[in-house]
Amino acid sequence: MSAFPITPILQHSIVFVTIFVLADTHDRLPGKVIELATGADEIWHLGDVCAESILDELRGIGPKVTVVRGNCDSNYEWPLTIDLKRGKLKFRLQHIPPERPPPDVDVLLHGHTHVPRHEKRQGVLFLNPGCVTRPNRGAPRSVAELQIVGAEVNWRLITFE
């Protein structure tokens, strides 16, 4: 009797996406960040890019780069918020976190605080990848990887020196 490998079959309604998430680069993009972003399907920058050349470096990796404007960004063509749907989930990207969870959003991603966050509030998952250049409150420099499969989110914080 021979054994055949079992291959899972994914239905068309299930979407598997890997998104590299970063925030608060403040004019600097360490080489380690480019290395970590390689292989992602998308890159989401949650504001305070400051030097627009950083977006060119991120685009050079290959996947689509989505950016929101932070309080230190001067490009007023960048939106303050972006609403996206991936898989069966609704995402909101913005730099400064709101005081209350927004309606009709499953996951809110933000930067600004320079501190990683993974917290559910009133049914909305708040995620912050931390800061690439100047973390606060003893947090390490960090970015994150977000994997979306259907209606499930896997969030992995990645710290580096």
Side-chain angles (χ1 to χ4, degrees), residues 3-149:
F4 294 97
I6 298 172
T7 304
I9 298 172
L10 297 178
Q11 298 175 356
H12 293 292
S13 63
I14 296 176
V15 176
F16 177 77
V17 178
T18 300
I19 301 164
F20 183 76
V21 183
L22 72 162
D24 298 288
T25 48
H26 292 281
D27 293 326
R28 290 181 306 228
L29 190 66
K32 182 68 174 175
V33 173
I34 292 176
E35 177 186 322
L36 292 169
T38 301
D41 297 311
E42 295 182 50
I43 297 173
W44 293 352
H45 195 303
L46 303 175
D48 280 0
V49 177
C50 298
E52 292 189 36
S53 61
I54 286 176
L55 295 180
D56 294 333
E57 290 182 66
L58 291 172
R59 287 183 191 108
I61 299 167
K64 179 182 178 186
V65 176
T66 301
V67 62
V68 292
R69 180 171 20 116
N71 59 300
C72 294
D73 292 320
S74 58
N75 186 330
Y76 292 97
E77 293 178 7
W78 298 343
L80 290 172
T81 63
I82 294 178
D83 290 332
L84 301 169
K85 186 164 184 185
R86 297 292 183 272
K88 297 180 179 181
L89 299 168
K90 294 177 186 175
F91 294 84
R92 172 157 300 157
L93 281 55
Q94 63 188 75
H95 183 66
I96 299 174
E99 289 185 28
R100 285 182 232 102
D104 202 29
V105 169
D106 299 304
V107 182
L108 184 128
L109 290 101
H110 70 87
H112 189 61
T113 64
H114 295 212
V115 177
R117 182 179 190 184
H118 184 261
E119 174 188 10
K120 197 153 199 171
R121 290 183 50 208
Q122 299 172 0
V124 175
L125 183 59
F126 280 69
L127 300 173
N128 182 333
C131 181
V132 170
T133 56
R134 300 185 320 236
N136 276 338
R137 296 184 217 144
R141 294 193 308 164
S142 60
V143 294
E145 179 181 87
L146 176 68
Q147 291 184 333
I148 305 162
V149 181

